[in-house]
Amino acid sequence: MARAGETDADTYTYDRAQRGFHWLMAVLILVGLALGIYAAWQVPGTSPRREILDIHKSIGLTVLLLLPLRVVWRLIAGEPAYRAPPSRSAHLAAKAAHLTLYALMLLLPVSGYVYSAAGGYGLPWFGLFSFPRLVPVDKALSASGYTAHYWIAWGVGIVLGLHVLAVAWHAWIRRDEVMGRMWPRRAVGG
Ligand code: HEM
Ligand code: HEM
């Protein structure tokens, strides 16, 4: 049942800000993953690896800046109600997966930042300015940052794969409300 001042759909869908954060950050992360993997295959110091890594870092640092705003808003706004609540175990599994994704969205850019900053490499933001270097130049720290970045990227790939498979199962096999909570039909085009 909708509360006063809300439409029925508002009660059962993430609000506009949460949907905006989710889809904007999903695109940034997927493009960031693709560019990171592409760059890792190129010879260090060559073009276009350098240019691609500059864009990769800019995208990753954008994710890092958006994350606290998203988390604060999520804590204020909460999650929408379900029309047909899932079982307790299914809800717990979804919550655990979402919490893991939030943690990985923090750890992945932080590890990339440590790798680049401690390695003495640039920290550009789309050619407009450079992020401050908050860690000392330290090759061992940079190497640990790289190892962390590599394995956390794998973690993101796996948890994200499960996330998308779970959503696809809800959308196409169970045909329930889950996809509509983040992508309501009426939100498309306005
Ligand atoms: C591209 C394909 C994607 C689809 C189809 C998708 C779909 C969804 C849907 C339908 C929900 C709502 C689930 C529910 O209410 O139970 C959701 C939530 C969520 N998604 Fe995605 N998603 C995608 C990509 C991503 C990416 C790339 C990330 C970040 C790494 C992400 C992170 C999250 C998080 C953290 C939540 C929980 C939101 C909250 O309760 O605060 N998703 N997603
Ligand atoms: C959404 C955030 C990010 C995602 C999804 C992401 C993902 C990835 C992936 C998948 C790779 C390839 C790993 C490999 O196979 O070696 C990579 C490499 C890299 N990432 Fe990120 N990253 C993110 C943020 C950052 C940030 C913020 C920085 C630095 C400021 C950064 C710096 C780098 C560098 C320099 C490489 C090249 C590694 C090499 O081949 O030497 N990343 N990233």
Side-chain angles (χ1 to χ4, degrees), residues 14-183:
Y14 284 92
D15 66 25
R16 271 176 189 275
Q18 284 177 311
R19 294 186 327 250
F21 276 126
H22 177 272
W23 292 114
L24 172 64
M25 290 175 72
V27 169
L28 291 174
I29 289 164
L30 292 174
V31 173
L33 275 171
L35 293 181
I37 292 167
Y38 182 78
W41 282 84
Q42 310 295 309
V43 179
T46 58
S47 186
R49 180 181 144 106
R50 279 166 164 275
E51 294 77 11
I52 284 175
L53 274 182
D54 282 355
I55 302 172
H56 174 81
K57 293 175 190 178
S58 307
I59 289 176
L61 291 168
T62 308
V63 168
L64 190 57
L65 292 180
L66 289 173
L67 187 65
L69 302 176
R70 175 173 178 180
V71 169
V72 167
W73 187 246
R74 172 68 168 84
L75 293 173
I76 293 171
E79 75 167 331
Y82 286 93
R83 288 173 208 273
S87 70
R88 202 175 137 70
S89 55
H91 196 205
L92 273 178
K95 271 189 180 293
H98 295 160
L99 212 60
T100 308
L101 282 172
Y102 279 117
L104 293 173
M105 277 190 275
L106 173 68
L107 296 176
L108 189 55
V110 165
S111 60
Y113 174 90
V114 170
Y115 168 36
S116 294
Y121 303 111
L123 299 163
W125 195 77
F126 297 109
L128 295 176
F129 65 88
S130 279
F131 275 76
R133 196 179 306 281
L134 301 174
V135 293
V137 174
D138 174 340
K139 291 292 168 194
L141 179 62
S142 175
S144 309
Y146 171 72
T147 307
H149 198 57
Y150 178 85
W151 288 111
I152 295 166
W154 269 103
V156 170
I158 291 168
V159 182
L160 204 53
L162 292 174
H163 178 61
V164 174
L165 279 178
V167 172
W169 180 75
H170 282 286
W172 292 324
I173 299 191
R174 285 207 57 180
R175 295 175 182 275
D176 62 17
E177 63 186 291
V178 167
M179 186 64 191
R181 286 158 60 80
M182 199 52 96
W183 189 283

